[in-house]
Amino acid sequence: MTEWKRKGAWSALVVGVAASGVGGYWLVKADRPVVIAMERFERSTPTWVSEREGEGASFTADVPKVVGGCSQAVQEILNQALVELAEMRYEGLTHRTMAQQAERLVKAWRDCRDEDPDGASSARSWTRRDAEVLLNDGQTLSVQVSEAWYSGGAHCNYCSQQASFDVRTGRKLAITDFIRPDARSALAKIVLDELVAAAGGEWGRDQQELLDTIARFRNVAVVADGLRFVFDPYEIAPFSAGTIRHVVSWPDISHLLVHGLAAS
C-alpha cells in the first residue's frame, strides 16, 4: 500500500548577508523564508519488520513541498523540481516515479527470495531517502536528498543530491549563476587544493583526474557560508572515506563571482 504522510511544516532561521559577507542578488537581504512541509512516501511488503530484523522490502522517501511564502505559480514550479529531487533524478538516466521505483524494489526482492529462499541477500531489501533544507532565506532555497539502500551484503550504499532554487522565479540555479564562465577552472582548483589540504595530501588518485571530476560541478548548492560541494563514495575517494562535503567560503572565491556578487 502506498501512503503519503504529512510530517509537519518547517521554516529556516533567517540568514542575513553578514553571515556570508557577500552582496549577492539573492543574499542581499533576508526576506521571508518559504514554508516547507515534509511529506513521506512509503511502500513495503506485508512481511516488512525493519531494516535490521525480519524479512521483506521497504521504500521510504521524504518529499519537501513548498506550501507558502511565494506565489502560486512559483510554488508549482518549485514543487515539481522538489519531487524530481526526491526521486533522485540524474541527467541521462531513465526516469521512474517513486511509485515505479518502489515497485521495482519490491519485485527485485521477491525475485531474489524465490530464487534463493534461504539466502541472506533475500531476507530484506530497503531504500530510504531523507531530505534536508540547507538554506531558506527568502531569496534562495537549497535542499539535499540523501539516499541509503541495501539489497544484501556487508553494508548499505548511499549517495546524495542537492540543488538550489531562486524562490522568486522557481528557477534552478546553476554554477554560472555564482561563478563567471571564465572562472570555472579556477574554482575547481580551489576546491581541489582545499580538499587535498584537509586530507593531509593523501589521495589515491591522480590530481588531474580529481580536478576533472570536480570541474563537472555535478553536485553543488549555495548555502549561507558559500558554495557546498558533495562527492559520493567512490567519486573522488574510496568508500571508506564516506560522503565528502566541503564548503568553499564566499571570501575565498570573491574574485571569481559573477557581477553583482562581489563582496562589498
Side-chain angles (χ1 to χ4, degrees):
M1 181 178 69
T2 303
E3 183 178 3
W4 290 83
K5 295 180 179 178
R6 177 62 57 83
K7 296 182 67 183
W10 184 96
S11 183
L13 294 176
V14 175
V15 179
V17 65
S20 68
V22 177
Y25 79 91
W26 59 79
L27 289 175
V28 171
K29 60 189 179 71
D31 291 338
R32 181 167 63 117
V34 296
V35 181
I36 303 291
M38 289 292 183
E39 297 183 338
R40 172 153 291 187
F41 173 89
E42 294 182 322
R43 178 172 291 179
S44 61
T45 59
T47 56
W48 176 254
V49 178
S50 72
E51 294 174 4
R52 297 184 178 277
E53 299 180 13
E55 68 170 25
S58 172
F59 185 104
T60 63
D62 289 343
V63 185
K65 184 176 182 180
V66 178
V67 296
C70 60
S71 70
Q72 184 64 36
V74 171
Q75 187 171 307
E76 292 176 1
I77 295 172
L78 287 171
N79 284 335
Q80 178 59 40
L82 290 172
V83 166
E84 294 177 5
L85 187 65
E87 289 172 343
M88 298 294 285
R89 288 197 192 183
Y90 285 94
E91 185 178 351
L93 296 183
T94 302
H95 168 62
R96 296 184 180 89
T97 66
M98 276 182 287
Q100 292 170 330
Q101 293 170 20
E103 182 179 357
R104 190 166 181 249
L105 172 71
V106 171
K107 182 180 184 304
W109 172 78
R110 285 176 174 154
D111 290 345
C112 183
R113 178 200 57 185
D114 293 344
E115 291 177 6
D116 185 12
D118 300 321
S121 62
S122 65
R124 58 187 179 274
S125 182
W126 53 266
T127 294
R128 183 184 68 247
R129 292 178 187 159
D130 300 313
E132 176 186 1
V133 177
L134 304 173
L135 179 66
N136 181 15
D137 64 357
Q139 302 287 330
T140 303
L141 174 66
S142 295
V143 178
Q144 175 181 273
V145 175
S146 300
E147 179 182 70
W149 71 95
Y150 178 83
S151 57
H155 56 75
C156 68
N157 292 291
Y158 48 91
C159 64
S160 60
Q161 189 173 8
Q162 56 182 1
S164 297
F165 307 93
D166 184 338
V167 299
R168 297 164 301 178
T169 64
R171 184 175 65 88
K172 184 177 179 180
L173 299 171
I175 193 69
T176 50
D177 289 299
F178 320 124
I179 302 298
R180 301 191 317 270
D182 63 339
R184 293 171 62 97
S185 296
L187 174 61
K189 185 64 166 59
I190 289 174
V191 176
L192 173 61
D193 289 345
E194 292 187 1
L195 287 173
V196 170
E202 295 298 325
W203 288 87
R205 294 169 55 177
D206 177 76
Q207 285 205 4
Q208 184 59 49
E209 185 180 358
L210 283 170
L211 190 63
D212 292 342
T213 300
I214 293 168
R216 292 166 52 209
F217 301 120
R218 184 188 69 84
N219 208 347
V220 186
V222 59
V223 293
D225 294 333
L227 294 181
R228 185 177 190 261
F229 291 77
V230 174
F231 302 96
D232 290 328
Y234 300 119
E235 192 171 5
I236 63 172
F239 182 85
S240 58
T243 299
I244 296 174
R245 300 177 178 88
H246 183 75
V247 176
V248 178
S249 70
W250 294 121
D252 288 346
I253 57 174
S254 61
H255 59 297
L256 306 179
L257 298 176
V258 297
H259 178 69
L261 282 175
S264 58

